[in-house]
């Protein structure tokens, strides 16, 4: 192990004896009171020294070996310590691809903030290279979203759509102007390849007609049709539900951006739950949906470029959080924002007992948003100074607190 205090967290001294790691309430923590020797020892935690050398350096600074070990252990348990050699075999392989790793340095730093175990961030970044995601819809939202996922290190991003690129499909980061009149899916896949840090090996899998690919980690539905964005068709998602494939909805409809719900089949609410809930609240809903779906499709919808890019970015962030093992707030909810005020709102989508997805029976999928709420203050004993017990053993004292 080569310990390193996570460089993504800025460090500052609140007073002569208290150091703060991180600036934002989500991640900031303070350590104190701290003696001068321990404060100086923190400067050695830069990932260039293994544990034996750190113990030796500590002895030169009059720090007991057990004090050094306890400090490192508690830094690690507080989520403030990284390991420049950790992460497992996949991480070792990624380290050898220096040009790829340099492209992904900001993503690695971000992952380190939400990955508590030392070396875990690089392990998760390396794991992205083995994931397969499919994006269905290559308009202003879908093509940009697919490129973002590819650029963030997802190993294989497939894009499905029909037709040819129209002038209004073109968007920065998505389909370029040079792709006009090309097949949409072909042009989007080319954009995905351009965004990728490298090209990990593709995994060829065959599927029977009418079935879903079991190797997909996530399917993201980004329809260009505004009706499909506003009211996702439960029938279209039946193969995904039957195969247990997680899927996420995103798009823009009439100047409103939508992200969610993220559907974990059998666990969280789905498009059928959304339809049943709306029918309960508005008896005219099925009649309206039937008219919208049978009406003439608009050739060009209201899809503001900046709003579409925002939706693509937020949907990509939710997708990456899920793929990295977290549970984003879009599981069981739809995030919506409308022009011109652009206030994001979370609308719960609860499991409906009349829906056959089974989520209501399991009692899962309830959504609660804590965005913007203060975190509870955490107090955990951490080593800061050393005092002698009667038996002569070194005893660490001091307190860590989350700074909010």
């Amino acid at each position: 192990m080569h310990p390193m205090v996570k460089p993504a967290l800025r460090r500052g001294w609140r007073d002569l004896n208290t150091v703060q790691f991180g600036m934002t309430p989500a991640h900031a923590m303070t350590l104190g009171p701290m003696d001068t020797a321990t404060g100086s020892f923190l400067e050695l935690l830069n990932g260039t020294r293994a544990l034996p050398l750190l113990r030796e350096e500590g002895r030169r600074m009059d720090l007991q070996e057990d004090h050094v070990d306890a400090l490192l252990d508690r830094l690690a348990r507080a989520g403030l310590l990284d390991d420049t050699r950790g992460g497992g075999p996949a991480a070792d392989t990624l380290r050898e691809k220096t040009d790829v790793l340099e492209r992904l340095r900001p993503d690695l730093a971000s992952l380190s903030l939400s990955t508590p175990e030392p070396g875990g961030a690089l392990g998760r970044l390396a794991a992205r290279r083995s994931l397969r995601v499919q994006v269905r819809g290559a308009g202003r939202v879908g093509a940009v979203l697919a490129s973002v996922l590819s650029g963030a290190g997802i190993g294989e991003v497939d894009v499905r759509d029909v037709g040819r690129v129209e002038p209004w499909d073109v968007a920065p980061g998505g389909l370029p102007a040079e792709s006009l009149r090309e097949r949409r899916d072909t042009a989007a896949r080319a954009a995905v390849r351009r965004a990728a840090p490298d090209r990990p090996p593709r995994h060829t899998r065959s599927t029977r007609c009418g079935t879903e690919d079991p190797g997909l980690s996530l399917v993201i539905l980004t329809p260009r049709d505004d009706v499909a964005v506003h009211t996702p068709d439960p029938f279209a998602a039946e193969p995904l539900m039957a195969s247990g494939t997680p899927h996420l909805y995103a798009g823009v409809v009439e100047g409103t951006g939508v992200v969610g719900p993220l559907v974990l089949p059998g666990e969280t609410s789905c498009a059928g739950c959304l339809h049943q809930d709306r029918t309960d609240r508005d008896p005219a809903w099925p009649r309206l949906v039937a008219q919208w779906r049978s009406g003439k499709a608009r050739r060009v919808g209201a899809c503001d470029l900046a709003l579409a890019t925002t939706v693509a970015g937020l949907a990509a962030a939710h997708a990456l959080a899920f793929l990295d093992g977290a549970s984003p707030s879009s599981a069981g909810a739809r995030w919506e924002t409308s022009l011109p005020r652009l206030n994001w709102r979370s609308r719960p989508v609860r499991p409906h007992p009349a829906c056959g997805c089974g989520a209501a029976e399991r009692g899962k999928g309830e959504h609660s948003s804590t965005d913007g709420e203060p975190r509870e203050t955490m107090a955990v004993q951490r080593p800061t100074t050393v005092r002698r017990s009667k038996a002569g053993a070194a005893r660490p004292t001091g307190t860590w607190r989350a700074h909010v």
Side-chain angles (χ1 to χ4, degrees):
M1 181 177 180
H2 286 62
M4 173 178 63
V5 175
K6 292 181 177 179
L9 296 172
R10 286 191 177 272
R11 190 185 313 178
W13 289 87
R14 299 180 64 81
D15 54 45
L16 292 177
N17 301 306
T18 308
V19 63
Q20 176 174 318
F21 297 93
M23 298 184 291
T24 63
H27 301 289
M29 299 184 74
T30 59
L31 170 61
M34 181 185 297
D35 62 283
T36 303
T38 302
S40 299
F41 182 80
L42 290 176
E43 300 297 329
L44 304 180
L45 302 179
N46 55 18
T48 62
R49 300 170 178 83
L51 186 55
L53 181 55
L54 284 172
R55 289 169 176 163
E56 181 181 340
E57 296 279 3
R59 285 193 295 269
R60 294 173 182 171
M61 302 169 70
D62 294 326
L63 296 176
Q64 296 286 333
E65 183 174 301
D66 59 350
H67 174 68
V68 170
D69 291 346
L71 175 64
L72 294 175
D73 176 66
R74 291 168 180 174
L75 280 170
R77 286 193 281 118
L80 292 174
L81 202 65
D82 211 341
D83 179 8
T84 57
R85 304 291 178 88
D92 292 337
T93 301
L94 182 55
R95 284 191 190 92
E96 296 174 357
K97 298 179 176 291
T98 54
D99 55 336
V100 177
L101 190 55
E102 288 302 309
R103 278 276 301 271
L104 296 172
R105 284 289 179 192
D107 304 272
L108 176 61
S110 179
L111 275 172
S112 74
L113 299 178
S114 58
T115 308
E117 65 274 13
L122 189 59
R124 290 190 181 185
L125 189 63
R128 288 183 180 182
R129 293 164 56 80
S130 65
L131 300 179
R132 301 177 62 233
V133 175
Q134 187 178 94
V135 178
R136 299 183 181 178
R140 281 186 162 187
V141 173
V144 173
L145 191 158
S147 296
V148 170
L149 293 178
S150 180
I154 298 299
E156 186 175 330
V157 182
D158 183 32
V159 186
R160 302 290 179 89
D161 207 338
V162 297
R164 297 187 177 275
V165 178
E166 301 288 353
W168 48 85
D169 294 322
V170 172
L175 302 179
E178 295 77 15
S179 65
L180 286 175
R181 309 309 174 192
E182 291 182 16
R183 287 173 53 97
R184 276 197 184 89
D185 53 0
T186 301
R189 290 167 187 165
V192 164
R193 288 193 295 271
R194 287 192 297 270
D198 69 338
R199 301 183 65 177
R202 294 179 64 88
H203 304 281
T204 303
R205 292 176 173 86
S206 60
T207 57
R208 293 177 296 175
C209 182
T211 64
E212 293 297 335
D213 186 343
L216 290 173
S217 305
L218 178 67
V219 171
I220 307 177
L221 299 105
T222 56
R224 291 178 289 110
D225 174 53
D226 54 0
V227 176
V229 173
H230 187 57
T231 172
D233 187 357
F235 177 78
E238 282 185 358
L240 295 170
M241 298 296 294
S243 64
T245 304
H247 48 287
L248 172 67
Y249 294 92
V252 174
V253 49
E254 295 180 352
T256 294
V258 179
V259 176
L262 169 64
V263 181
L264 309 179
E267 297 183 19
T268 66
S269 49
C270 66
C273 296
L274 177 63
H275 179 75
Q276 293 286 353
D277 179 66
R278 283 174 163 173
T279 301
D280 288 347
R281 291 185 286 109
D282 182 2
W285 178 257
R287 185 181 306 114
L288 290 170
V289 172
Q291 294 175 67
W292 293 334
R293 289 178 179 164
S294 62
K296 184 178 179 180
R298 291 175 178 168
R299 192 160 182 241
V300 181
C303 186
D304 178 83
L305 178 59
L307 179 60
T309 305
T310 300
V311 169
L314 183 61
H318 279 250
L320 288 169
F322 168 72
L323 293 168
D324 290 333
S327 179
S329 59
S330 54
R334 275 163 63 105
W335 284 95
E336 299 178 359
T337 188
S338 300
L339 296 171
R341 292 182 61 84
L342 296 171
N343 293 322
W344 283 100
R345 304 172 300 277
S346 175
R347 300 192 181 279
V349 182
R350 297 181 175 86
H352 198 283
C355 181
C357 69
E361 287 76 4
R362 294 191 59 172
K364 295 183 179 180
E366 292 296 328
H367 170 74
S368 61
S369 174
T370 58
D371 287 2
E373 298 179 6
R375 285 159 37 105
E376 293 184 4
T377 300
M378 178 183 67
V380 182
Q381 290 300 311
R382 292 291 184 264
T384 53
T385 60
V386 176
R387 69 180 181 214
R388 296 285 177 179
S389 67
K390 292 182 179 179
R395 178 182 303 168
T397 63
T399 303
W400 283 89
R401 290 186 177 85
H403 180 67
V404 296

